[in-house]
Each structure stands twice: as structure tokens, then as C-alpha cells.
Amino acid sequence: MTLNNQLIKEMKQRVYEANLQLPDLELVKLTWGNVSEVNRELGVIVIKPSGVDYKEMTADQMVVTDLDGKLLEKESLKPSSDLPTHVVLYREMPEISAVVHTHSTNSVMWAQAGRDLPAYGTTHADTFYGNVPCTRQLTDKEVEEAYEENTGNVIVETFKERNLSPNEVPAVLVYGHGPFTWGATPKKAVENSLILDEVCTMARETEMVNAHISTIPQYLLDKHYFRKHGAGAYYGQN
Amino acid sequence: MTLNNQLIKEMKQRVYEANLQLPDLELVKLTWGNVSEVNRELGVIVIKPSGVDYKEMTADQMVVTDLDGKLLEKESLKPSSDLPTHVVLYREMPEISAVVHTHSTNSVMWAQAGRDLPAYGTTHADTFYGNVPCTRQLTDKEVEEAYEENTGNVIVETFKERNLSPNEVPAVLVYGHGPFTWGATPKKAVENSLILDEVCTMARETEMVNAHISTIPQYLLDKHYFRKHGAGAYYGQN
Amino acid sequence: MTLNNQLIKEMKQRVYEANLQLPDLELVKLTWGNVSEVNRELGVIVIKPSGVDYKEMTADQMVVTDLDGKLLEKESLKPSSDLPTHVVLYREMPEISAVVHTHSTNSVMWAQAGRDLPAYGTTHADTFYGNVPCTRQLTDKEVEEAYEENTGNVIVETFKERNLSPNEVPAVLVYGHGPFTWGATPKKAVENSLILDEVCTMARETEMVNAHISTIPQYLLDKHYFRKHGAGAYYGQN
Amino acid sequence: MTLNNQLIKEMKQRVYEANLQLPDLELVKLTWGNVSEVNRELGVIVIKPSGVDYKEMTADQMVVTDLDGKLLEKESLKPSSDLPTHVVLYREMPEISAVVHTHSTNSVMWAQAGRDLPAYGTTHADTFYGNVPCTRQLTDKEVEEAYEENTGNVIVETFKERNLSPNEVPAVLVYGHGPFTWGATPKKAVENSLILDEVCTMARETEMVNAHISTIPQYLLDKHYFRKHGAGAYYGQN
């Protein structure tokens, strides 16, 4: 197989820059996060190498795999151990092109609490069309047999069971673990991680100030989400 | 109509600088906030363009409209989608000259909780003469027909029903959404956003430490507010 | 009266630098804090001018008064409006030489909650020999007649009634207002403000994690306090 | 006794750099933390001097003692007052080579609350194989007779009673005081302090969002811990 070098070089650069954003935006400590991008026509995924310091890695070190997660370059570092989760998401969610996983403080807190993130306000509704779901807990068997792959599977199961669109809700909380977000580009997927963490903070504090608060009504959710997304959007310069 | 170019240039500069303060003071993430200024004699409002990055915009790109929010410059970016709210506030609150809207974390939290912000201490009283009100929730019809305009209307309704002075309480929490603040200048309106967010934090934590605490007595509210405002003020160098 | 220029110049420099520490240590926003120093032999107090930005002021602008708070320099800015509180503290607490007042977030929160700060751990005990007291609320009459002076009086009253030593507990929370701290030098008094704010945070969170926690036993309080203070101290290089 | 100068110089440099990380990672304020390293073959411990500012100290000033904590260099500063705790840990836990003590906000909060830190998620499990224990409170007699040494003893007692491995749980919370962590190198021990503080934050917030949450199941704890540690580890590049 001959790789399209220029396109892959550009993917590596985007994935590299998006990974660097994670510590810059204070979404990760140490090496606790990874970003990937897929190009389904090329049959290629590019992802951060496992356990490598953000400050020390180079764009060239980003790991290139096929759509099953098999290494495509001879002198490759090992990919992020979460790669099998990314592979499942890319296979089952054809509308997404980039995936981010972090252990950002406030998103992890909700994932550990095992609760869906309620849509308490317009900040949430601007990006997430409804509650951000929390998956069920993985079973003993799922963890032992193929942990990272089954993490992807339980995310997909959650979206299917609840009839959610990955485009409309570009984030999930994995029970007891943490957030995954996605988007059309690595930059956009990172932005969704940032927003998720912020609305996780806001939701927690909202409940502290008013333990009996409800989610916003559907018409306000509709207004804010569709003000920014879809054919009728009028936010921004386009 | 011939615009007074020098005055508008100065307005643009002030509005630009005040918008830049929002990320610098950590009151906004991404593009989540906007500042405007009005000059009623000139018949002009200047406001941030919609969805443009603070770091990438220029003073010249600030959008100039008339007092109804209609664009006045040929080559203009689209104004902030919240412009109709600003227009209503300028029309109904003749004492204010600048408006700020943000999604700052702690103010949003109170707005999402749907509660007035209680005046729990002198930090609050130095700027806000009494509780900062939270509006009622907009109705389905209000959101669908003219969301941004009706956001302005419900703020005005709140101040009229409670007989509040926009000068004495230069801030409001919009239910399920977030804060608006105002002032005599863009800089002062941003300062009020900063103070609002800080007293929102303090109030939340105060309730955590003492769930049965009351607001400060009227005489202490009077003392601190009038120490800084009005004819008898003696804080500062003037 | 002839002022000892060299000594006052040095006081101004120390007071100036200590005031600059307040925003650097994130203990104040805007102009919400002031530091002063007294020299009782010279009969002089030096304090921050009122409402002046930390970033714009100069050492020379620090305000010089006598021990009753009367201005001693011809071309003087107005002193901090809290000066009368400082004057009372210097008069009634002969063992202190510098005073700091801030509206730091976590200390204000406890002051607004109207509770003494419990000595929950050794971080507290290293600096404060027992709970940090919260004053009673000032009466209507006290506020109207001489607010700032009576703020000083209620602090003194609190320490006398509880038989506390200003040296052993170099801080107080004024009900509904905020913290005052003191020390042998402006730098040390600022350090005590920093420590107070930190232990206020820790105490609040401690109660969240364990609602039934008690203060540390007297023998541990003794051990940590006297490890750092008094004749038997063995912490540090002296 | 002739010291191996080159090896000790290298130890001093590592201990110095690890101490500097403490304020850089916001794990300490003022001088509230210390790092040490042991070389049992050389019979040497190197530790931060007591009460010296991180910014002002030099690598050469790190204090060199024998395995009982006795000074080995003529012109030595006084060692950290917590040295006797480090000495006990090195004697009783042969698998560790570096120790860190801090008063980091969130770890202290759990120590003050007197509770074990529950393993609520995979962020915790990646580093700590099970709950991080909180010691019992020291008795009056233990504090008075040999406070710092008995702090070490109660840590050792806690690990023995619960049959915990210092390698698998490289951290402890000392009741009413704060955290100690350790590791194979000073850098690794500091990293464990950072992680402990982060999971302390996450755990507190998790309980706020869901008061009835349980720790993660053993099979998920196993998966994450052994994904990063031991013979079957597959995280990172080794």
C-alpha cells in the first residue's frame, strides 16, 4: 500500500496541534488524553502515541493506522492504548471525523457519578442537543475480553438505544471513566471537550444553588441549538 | 446619513478593548460574550461581530448599527446575535451607555438555578444595591417569535415589576441563560460582569458554609453602596 | 513636625510592595484591598491610597498619617477608606505593626456565612492558634455613626471577650464583610491573608467531605503552632 | 566516612528539581512541602532544607543525612522538620526511593475529613490500586514524644494493618494533616502527589453529583491498574 504522503502529513499536523491544545486548555494533566482523526477514503487513522509527553512529541511521531487500528508505518511509536475505542467510533459513527478522549476534571466527575449531564441552560444547548448521556457500566466479561473496544461498543449502544445523533450530541460520558467527544475536525472535537467540561462544572454548581432545578424546556433547547446548527442557523459570519 | 467618523472610531476602539477584556478576565471561553456601546445623540450602537475570535478581530471590525440595530456601514460583519437584546436595553434604560453579555461560569450557574442573587455581604453591596434579580422564564411563544428581543423585554419587565433602578443594580440574570450587565462605559460594564461573577461565587460558597444565612441588613447595604455611589460617596480619589 | 524622611521612605516602599502582592497572590480583584504599616515611635501610619489601581500607583503615593489617621503630607492622595479600622487596631493591639484588609474569595465566604473558622488541621495550626473568630454583626447605630472605626472596635471587642492574643491568632473575619489580618511586617501580614484564604478553602471542602468532622485535638494544635512559634520553635533555619 | 561526591551531587540536583516542581505544579504555597531521595547503598538521604523559599534555594543547599537522619555535611542547613517521617518510611518501606510531603489543597481536605479516598474511577485506578488510606489520629502521647517519627509510624501501621503494598498504593493521607506520596524517583513521587490531589478533587465532586455512588468494581480497578503497571502493562512506549 502506498500512503498519500501529503494528506497524511497534513493529518499528522492537525492531530499534533489538537493534542497540544489539551494541556493548553487545561483539559489534561500529564499524558491523560488523546486526539485522533480519520480519513475513510484513504483508509487511515492518525492518533497520538501512547504515554508520550505533549511537550516532547513531534508532529511526525503521530501514529498512522488503518481503519482497524493496524500500524501502517515501519518506524512507528505505539499508538494510544485507547485506539480501539476510536476505531469502533469511526466505524459505527460515519458522520464523525475526529475523536478526543481526556480525563478533564469536571467531565470525569460526572462520569464517575454515573449520571447523564442534564441540559440546564443555553450554554449547554448551544452545543449539545439534549442531555449528554452516561453509558452503563461495562461488565466483568467486557472489560476482560476487549476493554478498549467494548468501551467503544457501549458508547455506540448508548446512542442507538436512546436514538441519539452523534452530530447533535457530540459527547458521551463513559461510566466510571471519563468523556469522549468528537467532531468534524480535531480542532472542533477538542472544542467540544472544552465545552463539555465547562457545562459539567455549571451543572454541578447549578444543582448546589438549586437542588430542585429542572432542565430547560424543549423550545429553548431548540432555539439555542438551531440558532447555531443546521439550515436556519444565524450565529457567526456564515 | 453621514457618520461622525472620529466619534465612531473612538467608540469602536472602546468596544474592541472591552471585548478583549472578557477573555483576559476569564469571563468568556471561545466566543461566548459581547460588549456594545450606544451614543444616542449620534443614533449609533457599536457591538462585537458574531462568532469572531477575540484574538483575531480588529477594532475596525466592530459593527455599527442605528438604534434599531440596522447596519450602518457597507462592508460590515454580522453583529452579535444578541444585538436585539442590547437594542431593547438601550431603548428602555436611558441611563445606561454600554451593555455586556457573557456566559461566565458562576453567573450562569445562578441563572441556571433560576434564583435571585442574594446580597450576602459588603462585596455585593459595594456595587449592587440589593439582590440581583433573575428573570422569569421566557414562554414558548416569546422564544419562537423574537427570542433575543424578548430577552431584552423580560429584563425590562423584571426591573419595572420590582421597581429597580438600572443604575443601582447594573446586572441581571436571565433564567436558564446567563448574565447581562451594563454601565456608563464599556469598561465599567465589563467591570460589573467581573464583580457579578465574583459575588455569585461568594454567594454559592456562603450558602455551603451556612445554609441558614440571611442577606445583610438594609443599613449595611446602604452604608456600603452609598460609600461608593451618589452625592455622599467618599471612596476613591474624587 | 519634621518627618524622618528616610524611615518613611522605607515604610512607603514596604507598604507599596505588600499592596502589589495582593493582586499577584490573587487575594484581590480590582482595588479591593489595602495594606498599612505603623511606626509608633515616629507616630506614623503609611497606607494605600483609596481606589487607586495597584498597577498604576507608585511607592511615593502611599499615604502618610499620624496615629489618629490625620494626613501628614501636603500633597497627599486620600487614604484607604478603611484607614479608621487600621487606626483602631494599631491603638488597641500594641503587638502588631502591619494590617491587611482584602475581599479574598474564600475568606469573604466564611465572613458572609457568619461563622468562626474551625481549626480542622495542621495547615491551620501552623499559623493560627485555634479557631479564627468571626465578629458579631455591627448594629444600625454603629454603622451609621462611625462605620470604619466601629469595624475596628468590634474586632477588638471580639478578641477581648474571647481572651485571644492578636499574636497567636493574627486574623479575624468581620461578619458580612471580610477578613483583616496583621503581623510584624507588611509582608508577614499579607502572608497571613494568603494562609487564611487557603485554610478557609480547606475548611469548607473538609465539611463537604465529612459533615461530622471535629476540629483537631488541642495537643496537635499545640504541637504544630509551637513547632513554628515561640521559644521552642524548631521549624526553619533560625 | 567519605561521601561519594558525584552520586550525591546528582541526588541533590534531582531533589532540588523535584522540590521546585511543587510550586510549579501548584501543590504548595509558601514553603509547605518537601521532597527527599534515599540511596540505601550509600547510606544517604537528601532532603530540602527547612523553611527555605523554593525560589531562593540552590541545589547545593539540599541537606545530606545518613539513614537515621543525622547530618553528614559540615556546613549544612537544617533539614526539613518532617525528616524523621521520611526516615521511618525509608526504613520500613524498602521498595521506595523518594518521598514527598505537601499541603496541597484537595489532599489536605480529605486528610482533614479523616476519610479514606475512595477509588471512584479509572483516573484513580491508573495510579492507585484501591482506596488511598487515611491513618488513624495520633494520640496525645505520640504527638508529644516524637511527633514526626510517629507520623511515619502510623503510616507504616496503616499499610501493615490493611495489608497494602507501598508500590501499589504510593500515597497516604495522615489524619488532620495532609498527604505523603512516594515513588522510585523524586520526579515520580511528585507526580503521584499531583495525581493524588487531582483524584481527591474528582472524588469530592463525584460525591456532590451523586451522594450514593460506589467505588468502581474490582475488575475495572484491576484492568486500569495493570494496564499501566506490572508484567502485562501495555500503556506507554515500553
Side-chain angles (χ1 to χ4, degrees), chain A residues 170-220:
Chain A
V172 73
L173 301 166
V174 176
Y175 193 107
H177 186 167
F180 283 81
T181 66
W182 44 79
T185 63
K187 189 184 172 187
K188 192 70 191 169
V190 169
E191 191 177 298
N192 289 337
S193 285
L194 176 70
I195 297 170
L196 179 65
D197 205 66
E198 177 70 359
V199 291
C200 280
T201 305
M202 287 172 168
R204 181 193 64 213
E205 307 293 325
T206 296
E207 294 187 349
M208 284 168 57
V209 173
N210 186 346
H212 306 293
I213 193 66
S214 309
T215 54
I216 55 172
Q218 185 66 35
Y219 58 84
L220 186 57

Side-chain angles (χ1 to χ4, degrees), chain B residues 225-235 238, chain C residues 78:
Chain B
Y225 186 75
F226 293 113
R227 192 166 88 146
K228 276 194 156 178
H229 302 86
Y234 56 93
Y235 182 94
N238 302 313
Chain C
K78 283 169 60 186

Side-chain angles (χ1 to χ4, degrees), chain C residues 91-201:
Chain C
R91 190 181 62 219
E92 302 293 333
M93 296 178 168
E95 56 271 79
I96 71 175
S97 298
V99 168
V100 176
H101 172 52
T102 77
H103 286 236
S104 68
T105 313
N106 301 289
S107 303
V108 164
M109 168 190 71
W110 276 91
Q112 291 190 164
R115 286 180 55 198
D116 294 356
L117 177 72
Y120 281 136
T122 61
T123 315
H124 182 116
D126 279 336
T127 299
F128 305 112
Y129 187 51
N131 296 358
V132 174
C134 183
T135 69
R136 66 170 170 82
Q137 186 154 276
L138 289 177
T139 65
D140 191 339
K141 204 179 159 202
E142 286 169 331
V143 167
E144 279 175 16
E145 287 185 354
Y147 174 55
E148 290 83 3
E149 189 178 334
N150 284 327
T151 297
N153 288 335
V154 81
I155 294 171
V156 172
E157 172 194 313
T158 302
F159 272 66
K160 285 192 176 158
E161 277 191 358
R162 304 193 190 195
N163 202 23
L164 296 173
S165 151
N167 262 353
E168 291 180 349
V169 183
V172 72
L173 302 165
V174 177
Y175 194 106
H177 186 167
F180 284 80
T181 65
W182 44 81
T185 63
K187 189 182 173 189
K188 193 67 190 173
V190 169
E191 192 177 298
N192 288 339
S193 284
L194 175 71
I195 296 169
L196 178 64
D197 205 66
E198 178 70 357
V199 291
C200 279
T201 306

Side-chain angles (χ1 to χ4, degrees), chain A residues 120-124 126-127 187 191 194-195 198-199 201-203 205-210 213-217 219-220 223-224 227-228 233-238, chain B residues 29-32 49-52 77-79 81-82 103-105 108-110 112-115 137-140 143-144 147-148 175-178 204-205 207-208:
Chain A
Y120 282 136
T122 61
T123 314
H124 182 117
D126 280 336
T127 299
K187 189 184 172 187
E191 191 177 298
L194 176 70
I195 297 170
E198 177 70 359
V199 291
T201 305
M202 287 172 168
E205 307 293 325
T206 296
E207 294 187 349
M208 284 168 57
V209 173
N210 186 346
I213 193 66
S214 309
T215 54
I216 55 172
Y219 58 84
L220 186 57
K223 181 66 192 180
H224 264 266
R227 192 168 87 145
K228 277 194 154 176
Y234 57 93
Y235 181 95
Q237 297 300 324
N238 303 313
Chain B
K29 294 181 183 293
L30 302 165
T31 59
W32 299 353
S50 180
V52 175
L77 292 175
K78 284 169 59 186
S81 57
D82 297 310
H103 285 236
S104 67
T105 313
V108 164
M109 167 190 72
W110 276 92
Q112 290 190 164
R115 286 181 56 198
Q137 186 153 276
L138 289 177
T139 66
D140 191 341
V143 168
E144 280 175 15
Y147 174 56
E148 290 85 1
Y175 193 106
H177 185 166
R204 180 193 66 215
E205 307 293 326
E207 294 186 351
M208 285 168 57

Side-chain angles (χ1 to χ4, degrees), chain A residues 90-130:
Chain A
Y90 288 134
R91 190 180 64 220
E92 302 293 333
M93 296 177 169
E95 56 271 77
I96 70 174
S97 297
V99 168
V100 176
H101 173 52
T102 77
H103 285 236
S104 67
T105 314
N106 301 288
S107 304
V108 164
M109 166 191 70
W110 276 91
Q112 289 190 166
R115 287 180 55 198
D116 294 357
L117 177 71
Y120 282 136
T122 61
T123 314
H124 182 117
D126 280 336
T127 299
F128 305 112
Y129 188 50

Side-chain angles (χ1 to χ4, degrees), chain D residues 40-128:
Chain D
R40 292 183 182 82
E41 291 183 20
L42 287 181
V44 160
I45 293 171
V46 174
I47 193 166
K48 178 180 180 293
S50 180
V52 175
D53 241 311
Y54 300 98
K55 298 263 162 71
E56 292 168 11
M57 69 189 188
T58 63
D60 193 51
Q61 288 176 327
M62 299 300 103
V63 179
V64 184
T65 78
D66 67 16
L67 298 184
D68 295 320
K70 262 187 292 188
L71 296 183
L72 289 180
E73 293 184 327
K74 276 185 208 161
E75 305 209 359
S76 178
L77 291 176
K78 284 169 59 185
S80 164
S81 56
D82 297 309
L83 172 60
T85 312
H86 296 238
V87 166
V88 172
L89 296 182
Y90 288 135
R91 190 181 63 220
E92 302 293 332
M93 296 178 168
E95 56 271 79
I96 71 174
S97 297
V99 168
V100 176
H101 172 53
T102 77
H103 286 237
S104 68
T105 314
N106 300 289
S107 304
V108 164
M109 166 191 70
W110 276 91
Q112 290 190 165
R115 287 181 54 198
D116 293 357
L117 178 72
Y120 282 136
T122 62
T123 315
H124 182 116
D126 279 337
T127 299
F128 305 112

